[in-house]
Amino acid sequence: MNLFTAEEQQQIIQAIRSAELETSGEIRVHLELLCPTPDVIERAVQVFRQLNMDQTAQRNGVLFYLATDDRKFAVLGDEGINRVVPKDFWETTKEVMRDNFRNGRFTTGFCLGIERAGQQLRQYFPRLENDTNELSDEISH
């Protein structure tokens, strides 16, 4: 999967790490070539569970999912964060990302989406003294 150079992957990973610095929330990015289900949200939910994102202590994980060849993507928050973010937050985040994706700026799109999620996570789930990074920051495939 060659959508991102090694440098671009590091930019995305750094965006995740920066977003998670002041929050107990967890952010993951998952890429695959094809979405094996007709519904991208259904697939994102499957990946969310496979990555154990539904196992975080405060249920505040956020998944950014992209099927590159199918040109489908989803942003999925767990129940803890979904309870507190504005009603249209995920849709407006996807719009910011989509605008960048349309212009071939995938790294920028991901970084902006991650930054937006991080702002909400910091607001509602500030980092605790005993907080540990529960999930990997690496991009999964």
Side-chain angles (χ1 to χ4, degrees):
M1 182 162 321
N2 296 327
L3 180 63
F4 299 106
T5 65
E7 182 181 312
E8 290 169 332
Q9 288 182 42
Q10 285 307 308
Q11 283 180 278
I12 293 168
I13 292 166
Q14 187 54 51
I16 293 169
R17 289 181 178 150
S18 293
E20 290 182 351
L21 269 180
E22 298 172 35
T23 179
S24 62
E26 296 288 339
I27 299 172
R28 296 291 314 262
V29 171
H30 183 84
L31 307 174
E32 53 191 7
L33 294 174
L34 302 170
C35 181
T37 61
D39 180 11
V40 69
I41 297 295
E42 179 183 325
R43 177 58 181 158
V45 168
Q46 291 172 351
V47 170
F48 198 91
R49 289 184 181 130
Q50 286 171 359
L51 296 174
N52 294 320
M53 295 187 71
D54 57 344
Q55 303 298 312
T56 61
Q58 295 186 308
R59 300 298 300 262
N60 56 2
V62 178
L63 174 66
F64 291 85
Y65 169 86
L66 174 66
T68 57
D69 288 4
D70 285 338
R71 301 176 64 119
K72 293 181 178 181
F73 81 102
V75 181
L76 188 66
D78 206 346
E79 61 187 37
I81 188 162
N82 285 344
R83 274 195 300 270
V84 295
V85 295
K87 191 174 222 161
D88 64 343
F89 178 72
W90 299 122
E91 200 50 50
T92 59
T93 299
K94 285 182 1 188
E95 280 304 313
V96 168
M97 295 176 69
R98 189 177 290 118
D99 288 346
N100 282 278
F101 291 176
R102 281 189 186 121
N103 294 303
R105 296 187 304 263
F106 289 94
T107 304
T108 300
F110 270 108
C111 289
L112 289 172
I114 290 165
E115 181 182 316
R116 285 176 57 91
Q119 290 166 354
Q120 295 295 309
L121 287 166
R122 278 191 297 278
Q123 180 177 346
Y124 296 108
F125 299 96
R127 186 174 191 87
L128 306 171
E129 264 186 50
N130 62 348
D131 186 68
T132 58
N133 192 4
E134 296 177 77
L135 301 172
S136 171
D137 297 333
E138 300 297 314
I139 297 170
S140 60
H141 299 93

